[in-house]
Amino acid sequence: AFLHYLDPDVMVPSRGPAVELAFELAEQVERADFPGALFRSIVDQMEYTTEGDVGYGSSDFAAVESVGDAADYAAYFIGGMRYQQYAARFQVGFLLPIERGWGQLSDPHAWAHWYRPDYGWQAVDPGAADLDPDRGAAYYFGTLGSNRVSLSCGRDLVLDPPQQGAPLNFFVAAYGEQDGREVRLETQASYYDL
């Protein structure tokens, strides 16, 4: 049920700079230590930003530029894991504020899961590890707080019923088509404590 998470995505190809860096790392560590070593390497190497051409979740962009947002961090991790034949998947949604109340949510957030044999899906969030150094990277390798809402899992998504346009990079906002072409829809996300 998880083997298709070994396959490449448009933005996480099976060859390229991210895979080359994963190959170099794999030569230095035991296979069992690779997931943690890859996670730490990405957190140490990259700088979190929402400026510029970030946010597409491109593993190669992240590897070459060493900058990105949460989608780029997650894609980089996923690309490296798949190189080592670990199933890995992309998750996108929103981080909710810790404070109770209500408000608007602005930027979506992405994280990843990798399949650990004899254990199951393990959550990781290298982007949050860079944004929250006080908590420490080790926390985000296997632990995610309850303040997140997932909207979709996976990449290159075909909706049901299928859209006429290209598969979606990921699904985090409303999507519409008119006469077979994508229509730009304004969306807004908010939260409210019940």
Side-chain angles (χ1 to χ4, degrees):
F2 63 86
L3 292 179
H4 67 281
Y5 291 115
L6 290 168
D7 296 336
D9 303 316
V10 170
M11 297 301 245
V12 184
S14 59
R15 290 194 167 96
V19 171
E20 291 168 16
L21 291 172
F23 173 78
E24 292 172 13
L25 182 61
E27 295 287 304
Q28 302 168 26
V29 299
E30 297 291 324
R31 177 174 164 72
D33 297 330
F34 181 80
L38 177 64
F39 182 85
R40 286 186 301 278
S41 174
I42 290 169
V43 172
D44 291 345
Q45 169 196 340
M46 290 189 63
E47 180 181 337
Y48 196 98
T49 184
T50 56
E51 304 293 320
D53 291 332
V54 304
Y56 295 101
S58 169
S59 59
D60 287 343
F61 174 86
V64 170
E65 300 298 328
S66 296
V67 297
D69 75 353
D72 302 305
Y73 277 73
Y76 194 174
F77 181 81
I78 291 165
M81 292 298 285
R82 288 178 179 170
Y83 164 75
Q84 279 293 91
Q85 295 300 299
Y86 285 104
R89 64 188 184 192
F90 184 87
Q91 245 3 93
V92 66
F94 288 98
L95 293 179
L96 302 174
I98 299 298
E99 301 80 28
R100 298 189 62 84
W102 63 273
Q104 300 298 318
L105 298 171
S106 55
D107 297 324
H109 188 79
W111 57 97
H113 291 99
W114 65 282
Y115 192 81
R116 184 173 168 184
D118 301 323
Y119 181 80
W121 289 105
Q122 173 114 21
V124 297
D125 192 342
D130 232 4
L131 287 172
D132 187 11
D134 293 340
R135 185 166 269 166
Y139 174 82
Y140 291 101
F141 184 75
T143 307
L144 298 181
S146 60
N147 68 320
R148 59 186 69 217
V149 175
S150 177
L151 296 179
S152 70
C153 179
R155 306 291 293 271
D156 305 334
L157 303 174
V158 176
L159 303 176
D160 185 14
Q163 70 270 28
Q164 292 183 15
L168 304 180
N169 183 19
F170 49 81
F171 187 71
V172 72
Y175 177 85
E177 289 182 338
Q178 184 175 10
D179 298 326
R181 284 184 282 198
E182 182 178 354
V183 175
R184 201 84 160 124
L185 300 172
E186 293 297 322
T187 59
Q188 191 172 14
S190 59
Y191 67 95
Y192 181 78
D193 286 334
L194 301 176

